[in-house]
Amino acid sequence: MSTFKRAPVVGGPPTQDILAPLRVAQIVSSKPVLPAEILSTILDYLPVPALLHFARASKRMREMVYDDTRWVQKLQLMGCWDEAEARRRAEESRNKRLEAQNSFQQEEAKRVGIGVNGGDGSFNTTEAPVRPGTTIFDATLAVEKQNKPVPAISKPRRSSLDDGFDAVDVSPQRKDDSNIPKKQRDTDSLLDVVAKVRSVRGFARQEYGKIYGALAPFYLDAIRCKSHTDAVIFRTYRDPGQQAKMLAQLHCFAKSDVSQGWQEREEKLDGLVAAFEDAVSREFEQGLDTGDVEGRMRKYAGVLVDLNGGQKAIDRFITRNPVITERRNLGDPMDCMNQSMPGGVSLQESYAFFGHLSTAFNGQVAIIDRVFPSSANVVLEFLRTVGKDVVADYLTTLFDEAHVRGIESFLKAVSGTYGQALNFAKSLQPTQVSGDEFYETLDQTIASAYEPHIDLYLTEELDFFKLRSDAELGNWERQLSEQDASMQSLFMSSVNRQADKRDFLTSFKKVVMMPVNVLPSFGSKPGTAKALVNGDSLETPQLATSRASSRPSTPGLFDGSSPDTNRVSTPEPPTTELAAKAAIMNSRLEGIRSLFSIEVALNLVHAAKSGIERAAAFVKLEGPLGKDARTQCEAIFVLLLQTVGSRHIKAGFDQAVEHLSNYNPREVSEHNQPGVAPLVTFLELVNVGDLIQQMLDVFYEQELIATKLTDRSDFLDPAVKEKKRFEQMLDERVAAGLNKGIEVLVAEVEYICAITQTAEDFNPGASGDANNRVVDIGPSKTAKQVVEVVSSHTKMLVGSTDKNMLDVFNQEVGLRLFTALCKHLKRQRISVDGSIKLISDMNHYFTYIQTLKNQDLLQYFIALRELSQIYLIDPSDAKELATIIADGDRFHGIFRAEEVYEFAERRADWYQVRRGVERAMYGIGCAVM
């Protein structure tokens, strides 16, 4: 066993615990007390010198102070930073770097290619002569280059002006100014230091440093000086123009001062600027008083514009301008009312006012061009003031007085002066620097002058048309009532009350009701309606004939004359009550044409046209005013349709149908006229209604569609809906009247057949007179009169109603005529000799029906013509007669065999042929063996 022992070490370090230093050491945190965000916020409120001292504290503090966004924010507060320009410059810089990098890469690739593949940099696969090898990397040269000492870069000395700002000049270089004294050159260069600032990302601190170095001494002196006259700026610069430019820069520079106490410093600087501005303004006013346009006014206006835009000079020029101060000399609005007729307004005076104002305004525009620099657009402010204080004041006084005088005067004043105001706007001349903004401001000025009155005007326009329509209809109805009452009193004034009552009662049914003369058609040509709407001459031959008619003219004439102008002498008054009643009934039937008047409708159309044309001028205004004017124009048209339609035409047609219902042809002894009096009158009423509808259509096209006040394709538009409602109402009234008219026409036909058709027409010799047995070939007098009456009424509707309605009317008339003829035929006795006359009559009816060009209706009269053949068969041919009666195809299914048998019973020799016909048809008399 080994006895080796480790010997103790003498003089070594004492033995101690290795964790003792850790127990003694203290942990010190290296984190900042405040977060970086709070430090950055504090830096925003430090003055510039404090920022520069703060940047020297550490590298991190320097980075926070030199952050470009901090200095960009200060330039933005001054209004010197253009983000678009900065973005453009950054894009250009990036593009240049990319181009330089690409160029370097191409050069490097070219150099490498020359060393490896040949002189041209291309890969040459052909054989080439052997050249000495080129060394790509020389280690000796690399070592020498690395060991070569780097020369020290001398840093420019910081001046006391920028105090820590890098002296990097990124602004454009100044022109050669060696001939200018150095002191003057230095002070003059400071006048445009703000204007020379460029927006370059990464160099905002340097740009702001230039501004601070140039303007900070003047700024600090301005806020510290006790008196305005002690300021360094006024001792450095003696010219007012230079002083104004420097003060303007200081005012801009003060916006970047956000450190503590900036409010007091800003107030101090504003006081200095205000004192300078007041002094310059007084000089400008002295030039304004003396009329020194090219001298003081021009000089000090430029100084004030350079200082702060020259608003004070502009205000002084406008407020003391003769156009504003002497506006009463341009015209008195009361002259428009005092020199006009009652209910009117003299627009000549307002025209003279706008002419004088235009001349004065253009004269002041010439002075503005001479006095103010191009950077100050003074004419816009001057234009707004003239519009507010001159034009609006004149118009308000005129409109208020016109409204008091009467609604019509107010409407004429507003619409008339608006047209003059638009012409006035066209006559104004802009300044040399106004541009399109002048005309936009001009339109806004005119609109603002009329804006307070537009709502009242549009309301009064609609109310005035409504009142005028009510007055027109009331006057027309009153004249009709007076005319009817005077006619009744005239007829009853000469009645002998002691006349025989019995004679009256027995003869009243035979009262002669003279048919009225047919009212000449106004025609349905659109040209006539267009002429009526436009107010052209209406003295046509048709109207001349109408005026010469024996019928009293319709109240409400075209030429505005009294209702008695075109009225003929009063007829001779009747002497008996019977004759008076007859005359009254006759006059009422005649007056059916006066149930509504084309003259009244024409007056209403002209009134609506005037109102719409006045209101349509304001549609050009932008915004809600233009929309309200457009809506009001449509409202006037809607009211026109309601007035003419519901209150005039509809009531007239309803009363006309009632008159037709009361017509009894058996009370009329004269039936020689070609038409039924009330039906002829009603059809002429349809013509008048159609002409009124055409007038309204032309009015709608000219006043609403052509001027784009409404859109016909918009089915929800109020004007479109009301127009369709009016047309539907007119069609319904016409249809109802025509239905009643057809009944009256058929009643007249039946009456003519019953009265004028004699027994000898179809049965010669029925009276026992041998002379009457001679048969006259041709239609009878009754057939001719019936065709004449019916055709005269169907022709009257041609061109005055819709083709579909005309076809329906003709078909209904034809069918009812067919029924009436069948009834009439069943009341006659027809012999073989008289059948010739009957066949002639049926052919005459058939020929007339052919003119209606209705094939369905023509089949009925073909069957009726075939039916007349059964009376021509000789009595000995009873079997042939039975064959015809039983042949249903012969009559195209219109007559059944039983109906033909009934017509055959009207033969004069029926009792002779009856047995043979019944035997042939039914087998009567046959025996079964």
Side-chain angles (χ1 to χ4, degrees):
M1 180 173 180
S2 176
T3 61
F4 175 78
K5 294 183 179 178
R6 184 178 297 273
V9 179
V10 180
T15 304
Q16 62 181 1
D17 189 1
I18 60 176
L19 297 179
L22 295 178
R23 296 189 182 99
V24 177
Q26 295 181 359
I27 299 176
V28 179
S29 177
S30 61
K31 294 183 179 180
V33 178
L34 295 177
E37 292 80 3
I38 297 180
L39 287 175
S40 178
T41 305
I42 294 175
L43 293 180
D44 291 339
Y45 295 96
L46 290 180
V48 173
L51 282 175
L52 300 180
H53 291 296
F54 186 82
R56 297 190 181 103
S58 66
K59 183 178 179 181
R60 186 176 182 184
M61 299 305 174
R62 181 176 179 273
E63 291 176 354
M64 295 180 65
V65 172
Y66 281 19
D67 184 14
D68 198 61
T69 58
R70 187 178 313 283
W71 306 100
V72 168
Q73 182 180 5
K74 290 184 177 294
L75 292 177
Q76 288 177 343
L77 292 175
M78 296 173 57
C80 300
W81 182 264
D82 187 357
E83 185 63 28
E85 180 185 356
R87 189 180 299 110
R88 179 178 57 81
R89 289 180 180 273
E91 187 70 22
E92 292 177 356
S93 178
R94 183 168 57 253
N95 294 336
K96 288 181 180 179
R97 288 197 303 270
L98 291 176
E99 292 176 0
Q101 183 178 0
N102 294 335
S103 178
F104 174 78
Q105 291 176 356
Q106 292 176 1
E107 291 293 334
E108 185 69 16
K110 185 176 180 181
R111 186 182 65 81
V112 174
I114 292 174
V116 178
N117 299 315
D120 57 354
S122 61
F123 295 93
N124 190 0
T125 58
T126 62
E127 293 183 0
V130 179
R131 296 181 180 180
T134 302
T135 302
I136 299 178
F137 178 76
D138 191 349
T140 306
L141 295 177
V143 171
E144 292 179 356
K145 183 176 180 181
Q146 183 177 3
N147 296 331
K148 186 177 180 179
V150 180
I153 301 176
S154 61
K155 297 183 180 180
R157 183 179 180 181
R158 295 174 179 174
S159 63
S160 60
L161 183 65
D162 53 24
D163 193 15
F165 283 67
D166 291 344
V168 180
D169 187 9
V170 295
S171 300
Q173 298 296 328
R174 291 178 53 88
K175 297 181 180 179
D176 186 15
D177 51 3
S178 58
N179 297 328
I180 303 176
K182 183 177 181 181
K183 183 177 181 181
Q184 180 181 357
R185 185 168 63 246
D186 293 341
T187 56
D188 291 346
S189 64
L190 303 179
L191 296 177
D192 54 355
V193 64
V194 175
K196 291 182 179 180
V197 174
R198 296 192 306 169
S199 301
V200 183
R201 291 177 179 174
F203 294 94
R205 178 174 57 85
Q206 289 84 344
E207 292 294 324
Y208 183 79
K210 294 179 181 180
I211 298 176
Y212 187 86
L215 301 182
F218 294 100
Y219 176 71
L220 296 176
D221 177 76
I223 61 178
R224 292 171 183 171
C225 65
K226 298 180 180 180
S227 176
H228 300 154
T229 57
D230 297 336
V232 175
I233 184 174
F234 297 125
R235 296 196 302 268
T236 305
Y237 299 99
R238 295 297 181 180
D239 183 64
Q242 294 179 342
Q243 296 172 352
K245 291 180 180 179
M246 181 54 69
L247 287 175
Q249 290 189 123
L250 292 180
H251 186 270
C252 178
F253 175 73
K255 296 179 181 178
S256 64
D257 183 9
V258 294
S259 59
Q260 185 177 6
W262 66 269
Q263 294 92 341
E264 292 79 5
R265 293 190 292 272
E266 183 178 12
E267 291 177 359
K268 187 74 173 179
L269 181 61
D270 290 343
L272 179 63
V273 173
F276 176 78
E277 185 179 18
D278 291 339
V280 177
S281 298
R282 286 193 296 270
E283 295 293 334
F284 178 80
E285 289 182 5
Q286 292 178 3
L288 184 62
D289 294 337
T290 59
D292 188 6
V293 176
E294 298 294 340
R296 289 187 175 184
M297 290 182 63
R298 183 172 184 176
K299 176 181 178 181
Y300 292 107
V303 171
L304 291 173
V305 170
D306 291 338
L307 179 63
N308 53 12
Q311 187 61 40
K312 203 162 188 177
I314 296 174
D315 294 340
R316 298 291 175 86
F317 177 81
I318 293 176
T319 55
R320 302 182 62 177
N321 195 278
V323 177
I324 306 298
T325 58
E326 301 176 5
R327 57 180 177 270
R328 293 299 178 186
N329 298 332
L330 300 175
D332 188 1
M334 298 304 297
D335 294 340
C336 297
M337 306 304 303
N338 297 332
Q339 299 183 15
S340 63
M341 300 295 293
V345 60
S346 176
L347 297 179
Q348 294 295 331
E349 302 299 328
S350 59
Y351 178 80
F353 164 77
F354 283 113
H356 297 158
L357 180 58
S358 175
T359 303
F361 184 89
N362 292 334
Q364 295 301 317
V365 167
I367 296 177
I368 291 174
D369 282 332
R370 295 163 57 189
V371 172
F372 292 92
S374 59
S375 59
N377 203 347
V378 183
V379 71
L380 299 182
E381 188 69 24
F382 181 58
L383 178 60
R384 296 188 186 98
T385 306
V386 169
K388 180 180 179 181
D389 296 344
V390 181
V391 178
D393 181 68
Y394 180 90
L395 294 177
T396 300
T397 305
L398 174 60
F399 295 160
D400 292 343
E401 182 64 24
H403 193 269
V404 173
R405 298 284 183 92
I407 302 301
E408 186 174 4
S409 300
F410 173 73
L411 299 179
K412 292 180 179 179
V414 174
S415 60
T417 56
Y418 183 71
Q420 294 176 351
L422 295 180
N423 295 330
F424 160 75
K426 295 178 181 178
S427 66
L428 299 185
Q429 298 177 0
T431 58
Q432 298 176 358
V433 296
S434 298
D436 297 335
E437 188 178 0
F438 173 79
Y439 298 101
E440 296 176 0
T441 305
L442 185 57
D443 294 339
Q444 295 174 2
T445 302
I446 298 299
S448 61
Y450 282 87
E451 183 176 0
H453 312 283
I454 295 299
D455 292 337
L456 177 62
Y457 165 77
L458 294 177
T459 303
E460 294 291 357
E461 189 71 72
L462 182 61
D463 294 341
F464 177 73
F465 175 71
K466 185 176 182 181
L467 291 175
R468 186 170 179 180
S469 302
D470 295 341
E472 186 74 22
L473 290 179
N475 184 41
W476 180 75
E477 293 172 354
R478 178 180 55 80
Q479 291 180 6
L480 276 184
S481 178
E482 293 177 355
Q483 178 179 329
D484 186 36
S486 61
M487 188 65 68
Q488 291 190 29
S489 61
L490 173 66
F491 288 153
M492 300 299 294
S493 60
S494 302
V495 172
N496 185 2
R497 294 294 181 180
Q498 303 300 325
D500 190 3
K501 300 297 183 180
R502 183 177 301 175
D503 179 70
F504 168 74
L505 294 176
T506 56
S507 60
F508 180 76
K509 294 182 180 181
K510 299 180 181 180
V511 171
V512 176
M513 299 177 60
M514 296 298 294
V516 296
N517 295 329
V518 177
L519 176 67
S521 300
F522 286 93
S524 301
K525 298 180 180 179
T528 304
K530 187 173 182 179
L532 293 175
V533 172
N534 295 330
D536 296 339
S537 176
L538 298 174
E539 191 62 34
T540 62
Q542 294 174 338
L543 292 179
T545 306
S546 176
R547 294 186 180 186
S549 174
S550 60
R551 182 182 65 87
S553 62
T554 304
L557 303 175
F558 289 92
D559 54 1
S561 59
S562 61
D564 297 331
T565 302
N566 298 322
R567 188 173 298 175
V568 297
S569 59
T570 306
E572 190 70 23
T575 56
T576 64
E577 186 174 1
L578 181 62
K581 291 290 185 181
I584 291 173
M585 295 175 65
N586 186 32
S587 65
R588 286 180 176 175
L589 282 177
E590 183 183 23
I592 196 173
R593 281 170 289 186
S594 298
L595 294 176
F596 61 80
S597 170
I598 189 174
E599 293 93 334
V600 174
L602 183 61
N603 292 337
L604 295 177
V605 168
H606 285 168
K609 180 180 180 182
S610 300
I612 290 179
E613 288 180 349
R614 288 195 297 262
F618 298 97
V619 176
K620 300 178 182 178
L621 296 176
E622 298 179 354
L625 295 180
K627 295 181 180 179
D628 293 343
R630 185 187 304 274
T631 303
Q632 208 70 351
C633 291
E634 294 182 345
I636 293 176
F637 179 71
V638 169
L639 183 58
L640 171 66
L641 293 179
Q642 293 175 351
T643 304
V644 176
S646 301
R647 297 185 54 191
H648 195 54
I649 294 180
K650 181 180 179 181
F653 268 114
D654 292 342
Q655 193 172 357
V657 172
E658 183 180 357
H659 288 178
L660 284 174
S661 302
N662 297 331
Y663 176 76
N664 188 358
R666 290 173 177 77
E667 297 179 355
V668 180
S669 59
E670 289 284 344
H671 293 273
N672 298 325
Q673 296 295 331
V676 182
L679 182 56
V680 169
T681 307
F682 178 80
L683 295 180
E684 288 298 337
L685 199 65
V686 174
N687 287 334
V688 175
D690 179 69
L691 181 57
I692 292 176
Q693 181 181 1
Q694 291 187 20
M695 286 167 49
L696 295 176
D697 289 339
V698 172
F699 178 81
Y700 177 74
E701 293 292 334
Q702 288 185 349
E703 301 298 329
L704 295 180
I705 298 300
T707 56
K708 297 181 180 181
L709 294 177
T710 187
D711 184 9
R712 63 159 57 93
S713 61
D714 185 6
F715 62 92
L716 296 178
D717 188 86
V720 177
K721 292 169 61 177
E722 189 62 31
K723 186 173 182 293
K724 292 182 179 180
R725 189 180 296 111
F726 171 81
E727 294 172 351
Q728 182 180 2
M729 180 276 300
L730 186 60
D731 292 340
E732 291 176 354
R733 300 275 82 73
V734 171
L738 291 179
N739 181 56
K740 185 60 64 175
I742 291 173
E743 295 179 0
V744 173
L745 179 60
V746 172
E748 183 71 15
V749 169
E750 292 177 351
Y751 183 78
I752 293 175
C753 292
I755 299 302
T756 61
Q757 194 82 66
T758 61
E760 287 80 6
D761 288 343
F762 301 143
N763 190 9
S767 60
D769 188 358
N771 297 328
N772 292 334
R773 298 186 65 86
V774 179
V775 179
D776 183 17
I777 303 300
S780 64
K781 178 181 177 182
T782 301
K784 293 179 180 180
Q785 188 172 353
V786 168
V787 170
E788 184 179 4
V789 168
V790 176
S791 62
S792 63
H793 293 85
T794 55
K795 290 178 181 178
M796 292 177 66
L797 288 179
V798 176
S800 62
T801 57
D802 183 71
K803 185 178 182 302
N804 295 329
M805 181 178 292
L806 181 62
D807 293 340
V808 172
F809 175 76
N810 291 337
Q811 184 172 2
E812 189 65 23
V813 169
L815 291 176
R816 296 198 185 187
L817 175 62
F818 172 80
T819 304
L821 293 177
C822 292
K823 292 166 118 183
H824 176 63
L825 196 59
K826 291 181 180 180
R827 292 194 294 265
Q828 305 299 317
R829 280 295 176 184
I830 303 143
S831 63
V832 176
D833 295 336
S835 63
I836 303 299
K837 179 68 70 175
L838 177 62
I839 293 174
S840 299
D841 287 355
M842 296 305 155
N843 287 331
H844 189 59
Y845 294 135
F846 175 79
T847 304
Y848 163 68
I849 295 300
Q850 279 184 318
T851 61
L852 301 181
K853 298 179 182 180
N854 191 321
Q855 295 299 324
D856 296 335
L857 181 62
L858 192 62
Q859 298 300 322
Y860 287 89
F861 286 85
I862 292 175
L864 193 61
R865 189 176 60 177
E866 293 294 332
L867 180 64
S868 63
Q869 303 293 329
I870 64 175
Y871 301 104
L872 189 60
I873 300 175
D874 191 81
S876 59
D877 296 332
K879 186 176 181 180
E880 182 68 21
L881 178 60
T883 302
I884 294 175
I885 293 174
D887 187 3
D889 296 336
R890 187 182 184 93
F891 306 103
H892 305 287
I894 295 176
F895 293 114
R896 295 180 287 107
E898 293 80 1
E899 294 177 341
V900 178
Y901 182 83
E902 292 179 1
F903 284 106
E905 290 179 343
R906 304 314 301 169
R907 288 177 59 102
D909 55 359
W910 172 249
Y911 294 103
Q912 300 177 15
V913 299
R914 177 180 179 182
R915 185 178 180 85
V917 171
E918 290 180 349
R919 180 183 295 112
M921 291 182 63
Y922 308 116
I924 299 176
C926 296
V928 179
M929 300 302 294

